[in-house]
């Protein structure tokens, strides 16, 4: 018996290993492996993690932004100052003044702070929308897990069915081999003809072929399950063929709570909440935005020497300037050409469409649930009939074997009784696992697949 609870634990925490008997893959171990290893579930977990990151405070817009800038400039200049037509104090032509390799440097750094105090509540509802988006992601991951569980159990029960069929066919082959020995003994003592031996050999051949085909189908099914469990394709194991059905009154209780538990309905409700937040976010465009700004800056200039008309060379100068500012701003888009109005109207229409979709999904889920219940009850009745049919054919076969050993019936009549029993047993196996899968599909629709004992 296995119990699957707490979807968040399945999404965020590793599942403890469950060890089965040697060479036996129990249902518990199969569930553990699929939760740990299945690629689809791993992808779903990562999507939930992304949604969790998006819904965090670091993506909310509530925190300020702080930016830093810095720069440095280096210059080197060669300057020649000419004085055409000018004379010095000795009435000689004034000489040119050259300043070579004159270096200058400039340095600056600043830190700027911006913080939105109020944005018309758009940030508030956007953050709530991200939280709801996270909830939607967990529901989508749950849906992936449920679908993967159905897929896994479909293959698991197919392996169980083929395993039981193989055992039945082995018994049929043993009976046919025993018939050959009896026919040969009887032929030696002159009690029958060679035809009885040939008939027995034909039956052995048919039973051998049927067994080989079943073994091949079983090997293929095991590889299919290995893909779902993401393990070695050639992994060999046996499976648990025990099947326990849930009482009908419990299924009825689950059906009564479908609206509050079905994952498809819950997703439509989550989308409805997201659309409601979209309306409020778009309405925030009607309100002003109030922001806070602050900055601190530092500048340093190292100027190069320069020549003056007097002929003197003025040495380089240094300056340091630091500044700090703090301010507030208000922005109010009084008219944006109608863009905000259009967005609000469209978001309201989207919300109305989502309400219609929710009603449609509820109607479809109720239909599918009732169909699933009818299919389950029908298959369960078929399984019960097939169980009784096996019992009847088993009695018929035992009586036929006694009559055959006494020589009262022919080998053909005995073979027919054997085939009838074989068909009854394989049909019972098919009916058993079909009924269980129908039950699982009903549980998925009621939203209880991950909360019950299987």
């Amino acid at each position: 018996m296995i119990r699957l609870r707490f979807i968040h634990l399945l999404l965020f925490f590793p599942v403890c290993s469950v060890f089965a008997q040697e060479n036996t893959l129990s249902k518990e171990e199969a569930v553990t492996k699929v939760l740990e290893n299945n690629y689809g579930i791993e992808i779903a977990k990562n999507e939930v993690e992304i949604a969790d990151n998006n819904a965090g405070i670091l993506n909310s817009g509530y925190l300020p932004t702080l930016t830093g800038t810095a720069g440095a400039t280096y210059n080197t200049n060669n300057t020649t100052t000419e004085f055409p037509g000018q004379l010095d104090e000795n009435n000689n032509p004034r000489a040119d003044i050259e300043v070579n390799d004159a270096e200058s440097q400039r340095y600056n750094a600043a830190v700027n702070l911006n913080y939105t105090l109020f944005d018309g509540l758009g940030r508030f509802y956007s953050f709530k929308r991200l939280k709801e988006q996270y909830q939607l992601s967990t529901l989508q991951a749950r849906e992936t897990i449920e679908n993967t569980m159905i897929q896994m159990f479909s293959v698991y029960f197919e392996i169980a069915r083929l395993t039981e069929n193989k055992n039945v066919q082995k018994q049929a082959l043993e009976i046919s081999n025993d018939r050959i020995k009896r026919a040969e003994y009887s032929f030696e003592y002159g009690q029958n003809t060679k035809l009885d031996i040939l008939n027995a050999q034909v039956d052995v051949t048919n039973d051998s072929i049927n067994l080989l085909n079943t073994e091949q189908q079983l090997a293929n099914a095991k590889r299919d399950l290995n893909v779902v469990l993401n393990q070695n394709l050639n992994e060999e194991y046996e499976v648990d063929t025990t099947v326990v059905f849930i009482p009908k009154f419990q299924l009825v209780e689950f059906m009564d709570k479908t609206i509050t538990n079905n994952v498809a309905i819950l997703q439509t409700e989550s989308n409805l909440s997201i659309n409601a937040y979209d309306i409020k976010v778009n309405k925030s465009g009607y309100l002003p935005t109030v922001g806070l700004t602050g900055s601190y800056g530092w500048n340093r200039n190292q100027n190069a020497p320069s020549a003056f008309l007097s002929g003197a060379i003025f040495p380089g100068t240094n300056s340091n300037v630091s500044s700090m500012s703090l301010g507030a701003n208000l922005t109010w888009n009084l008219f944006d050409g109608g863009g905000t109005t259009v967005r609000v109207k469209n978001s309201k229409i989207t919300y109305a469409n989502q309400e219609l979709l929710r009603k449609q999904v509820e109607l479809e889920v109720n239909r599918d649930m009732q169909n699933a219940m009818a299919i389950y009850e029908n298959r369960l009745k078929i399984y019960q009939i097939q169980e009784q049919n096996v019992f009847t054919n088993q009695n018929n076969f035992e009586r036929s074997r006694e009559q055959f050993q006494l020589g009262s019936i022919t080998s053909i009549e005995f073979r027919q009784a054997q085939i009838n029993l074989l068909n009854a047993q394989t049909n019972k196996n098919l009916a058993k696992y079909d009924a269980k899968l129908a039950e699982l599909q009903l549980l998925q629709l009621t939203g209880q697949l991950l909360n019950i004992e299987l």
Side-chain angles (χ1 to χ4, degrees):
M1 308 290 284
I2 59 177
R3 183 180 296 274
L4 303 175
R5 290 191 180 276
F6 306 112
I7 185 66
H8 292 285
L9 294 179
L10 298 179
L11 295 175
F12 298 113
F13 296 95
V15 183
C16 298
S17 299
V18 179
F19 297 98
Q21 295 179 358
E22 185 178 1
N23 297 328
T24 299
L25 180 66
S26 66
K27 297 184 184 72
E28 294 93 335
E29 188 175 10
V31 169
T32 299
K33 288 183 179 237
V34 77
L35 291 176
E36 289 180 343
N37 303 327
N38 182 265
Y39 287 127
I41 292 179
E42 286 298 313
I43 292 173
K45 291 178 181 178
N46 290 337
E47 293 294 334
V48 171
E49 188 174 354
I50 291 174
D52 187 33
N53 293 335
N54 290 337
I57 189 66
L58 296 179
N59 194 46
S60 65
Y62 278 106
L63 300 180
T65 61
L66 187 65
T67 58
T69 59
T73 304
Y74 172 82
N75 290 313
T76 178
N77 298 311
N78 295 323
T79 304
T80 300
T81 303
E82 299 179 349
F83 304 93
Q86 296 186 25
L87 302 175
D88 58 14
E89 63 276 6
N90 297 321
N91 293 323
N92 293 321
R94 186 179 295 273
D96 297 340
I97 300 176
E98 294 184 358
V99 178
N100 295 323
D101 298 326
E103 296 181 352
S104 65
Q105 297 91 27
R106 292 184 177 87
Y107 305 96
N108 63 83
V111 177
N112 300 300
L113 173 72
N114 286 280
Y115 183 64
T116 301
L117 297 175
F118 178 76
D119 66 345
L121 296 178
R123 174 178 56 183
F124 175 75
Y125 290 116
S126 293
F127 189 49
K128 283 185 171 293
R129 186 187 188 281
L130 290 173
K131 291 290 187 182
E132 191 61 41
Q133 188 68 47
Y134 166 75
Q135 296 299 327
L136 178 61
S137 296
T138 62
L139 291 172
Q140 291 170 342
R142 173 187 154 187
E143 183 179 28
T144 298
I145 292 175
E146 288 181 355
N147 291 334
T148 305
M149 287 296 175
I150 293 292
Q151 179 189 11
M152 187 272 290
F153 277 115
S154 296
V155 183
Y156 187 93
F157 288 144
E158 177 65 7
I159 295 173
R161 183 185 73 85
L162 292 171
T163 298
E164 291 191 322
N165 285 355
K166 184 180 77 169
N167 294 334
V168 169
Q169 289 169 351
K170 279 184 176 180
Q171 294 175 1
L173 182 58
E174 291 174 358
I175 293 172
S176 296
N177 283 324
D178 184 66
R179 275 183 54 209
I180 290 181
K181 294 179 182 179
R182 288 182 175 275
E184 289 175 346
Y185 291 150
S186 298
F187 178 74
E188 290 178 2
Y189 290 100
Q191 295 179 355
N192 58 17
T193 64
K194 186 71 172 178
L195 181 61
D196 291 330
I197 299 177
L198 295 176
N199 287 334
Q201 290 175 341
V202 170
D203 293 338
V204 167
T205 299
N206 291 333
D207 291 342
S208 299
I209 292 173
N210 291 334
L211 179 59
L212 288 173
N213 288 334
T214 299
E215 288 176 342
Q216 181 60 57
Q217 294 171 3
L218 180 60
N220 292 344
K222 286 184 178 181
R223 278 189 283 270
D224 290 340
L225 184 58
N226 287 336
V227 169
V228 177
L229 301 181
N230 188 22
Q231 62 183 10
N232 188 344
L233 292 179
N234 296 318
E235 188 77 23
E236 280 296 330
Y237 47 83
E238 300 296 329
V239 298
D240 183 10
T241 59
T242 304
V243 169
V244 178
F245 294 99
I246 297 175
K248 184 177 179 179
F249 76 89
Q250 191 173 358
L251 292 176
V252 173
E253 290 180 358
F254 292 156
M255 293 174 66
D256 293 337
K257 300 177 182 178
T258 297
I259 299 301
T260 58
N261 293 322
N262 178 270
V263 68
I265 295 176
L266 292 177
Q267 286 185 61
T268 60
E269 292 178 350
S270 183
N271 279 319
L272 197 62
S273 298
I274 291 173
N275 293 144
Y277 288 133
D278 285 338
I279 296 174
K280 295 177 180 179
V281 169
N282 289 324
K283 283 184 175 180
S284 67
Y286 291 128
L287 300 177
T289 299
V290 179
L292 180 68
T293 61
S295 66
Y296 174 81
W298 170 80
N299 290 273
R300 176 178 174 81
N301 294 325
Q302 296 179 350
N303 299 313
S306 59
F308 282 78
L309 294 178
S310 62
I313 297 178
F314 190 81
T317 60
N318 296 333
S319 65
N320 288 286
V321 178
S322 61
S323 62
M324 183 173 62
S325 65
L326 181 66
N329 58 69
L330 182 146
T331 303
W332 197 339
N333 195 345
L334 299 177
F335 181 71
D336 63 352
T340 299
T341 301
V342 171
R343 287 191 293 271
V344 170
K345 288 182 178 180
N346 289 342
S347 59
K348 288 181 178 179
I349 295 173
T350 302
Y351 181 85
N353 285 341
Q354 187 62 38
E355 281 189 318
L356 296 174
L357 179 61
R358 181 185 62 178
K359 294 178 181 179
Q360 179 183 356
V361 170
E362 288 181 1
L363 184 62
E364 292 175 349
V365 167
N366 282 324
R367 177 206 60 193
D368 294 341
M369 181 181 60
Q370 293 183 28
N371 289 344
M373 186 63 177
I375 292 172
Y376 168 67
E377 290 179 334
N378 182 64
R379 290 182 178 178
L380 191 59
K381 289 178 182 178
I382 291 174
Y383 171 56
Q384 294 168 350
I385 292 172
Q386 291 292 358
E387 278 189 314
Q388 181 61 41
N389 190 38
V390 169
F391 178 76
T392 302
N393 278 278
Q394 184 69 45
N395 289 335
N396 179 63
F397 175 74
E398 295 297 337
R399 290 175 179 269
S400 297
R401 179 155 57 180
E402 292 175 1
Q403 295 295 320
F404 177 68
Q405 291 173 354
L406 295 174
S408 300
I409 63 174
T410 65
S411 61
I412 295 177
E413 293 173 318
F414 175 72
R415 176 62 177 178
Q416 186 60 50
Q418 182 186 12
I419 291 175
N420 290 340
L421 176 60
L422 179 63
N423 290 337
Q425 290 171 326
T426 55
N427 288 337
K428 185 205 73 170
N429 295 337
L430 177 62
K432 177 172 69 171
Y433 296 112
D434 279 350
K436 187 60 181 179
L437 284 176
E439 181 188 82
L440 295 182
Q441 290 165 353
L442 176 61
L443 290 171
Q444 183 182 17
L445 287 169
T446 61
Q448 298 294 333
L449 181 63
L450 304 178
N451 301 324
I452 50 86
E453 294 182 354
L454 298 174

